[in-house]
Amino acid sequence: LLLKMKAEIRLAFELTPVMLHNMETSSHRGCMPETRTEWIAEILAWACSDSAQSIFWMNGIPGSGKSTIAQTIAMHPDILLMLVSHIFFKREKTSRHDILKLIAYRLAERNAKIASEVASRLNARTLTVRDTFVKLILEPLKAAEESGLLQEPIIIILDALDEYGTSETRVQLMQLFSDDFAKLPCRVRFLITSRPEADLVRALSSREHVKERTLDVHTEESKRDVSTFIATEMKKLVPAKSSVGFKWNEM
């Protein structure tokens, strides 16, 4: 029955394996060992907590390491069992498909009660982005919570959200993040990374349900991590039989 419901939902949402692969595949590697340790620890603590902050928004300039950290979190053994979807946006490749329906489908895959609730709403009128969120995500999650079937934390990663459409096409979605995401069950977590684009700042900054953190490349932690990266990459350049007496380790 669950397989049948999932198939019906996938068909109704027009989700194909290729589309899912394209939207949930990142080319980024994870962090090197012993780097970004403070960031990783903070995100893991948030993900496993009962905090009312349903969104962890990590913003920063291009190249500051946001997607690398997100990839590390997605691969972390403490997160793997919680991870519902890791959506990676890339402006020139990302499908313009409704990401809310993708999220609803992945939630239905994870939880039979959510699948039942989503399947029962497939014919519901969803005239706006908010209608879609309420009918296909919020209400099914609330029903699962009230039934006692939402015990474990679940996490969804939206990586490089600023690459999804434009500020004009994101208006309704940003309104959701600003207001309606505060109504999500406390077990539901969204890790969002983006550049500090104006519309994202307006939607996510200074909101009680958002834990906002800026990845500053000038901090001591960032400088230390860059030094670790350089040292590691330099060691890879050392030939198997380096010149005798050359003190590579002191570079």
Side-chain angles (χ1 to χ4, degrees), residues 121-177:
R121 291 167 169 79
L122 289 180
N123 295 322
R125 297 184 68 189
T126 53
L127 301 179
T128 66
V129 170
R130 187 176 186 277
D131 290 339
T132 300
F133 173 75
V134 171
K135 294 295 183 183
L136 301 179
I137 295 178
L138 183 60
E139 289 181 354
L141 282 169
K142 288 288 190 180
E145 181 183 42
E146 291 168 3
S147 301
L149 300 175
L150 196 63
Q151 298 294 328
E152 301 299 324
I154 55 178
I155 186 167
I156 297 158
I157 301 175
L158 304 180
D159 193 6
L161 183 59
D162 55 287
E163 294 285 322
Y164 184 65
T166 65
S167 59
E168 289 78 16
T169 62
R170 292 193 299 258
V171 171
Q172 292 187 61
L173 187 62
M174 291 302 106
Q175 192 64 46
L176 286 181
F177 289 132

Side-chain angles (χ1 to χ4, degrees), residues 130 133 174-184 203 207 209:
R130 187 176 186 277
F133 173 75
M174 291 302 106
Q175 192 64 46
L176 286 181
F177 289 132
S178 179
D179 300 324
D180 294 281
F181 270 60
K183 303 170 187 176
L184 289 168
R207 303 288 176 180
H209 65 288

Side-chain angles (χ1 to χ4, degrees), residues 1 3 11 19 22 26 47 63 74 83 101 113 124 126-127 131 143 149-150 154 161 186 190 194 203 209 212 230 240:
L1 181 60
L3 290 175
L11 182 62
M19 182 183 296
N22 288 342
S26 170
L83 188 63
K101 290 183 177 180
K113 176 62 176 176
T126 53
L127 301 179
D131 290 339
L149 300 175
L150 196 63
I154 55 178
L161 183 59
C186 67
F190 278 80
S194 76
H209 65 288
E212 178 185 354
I230 293 173

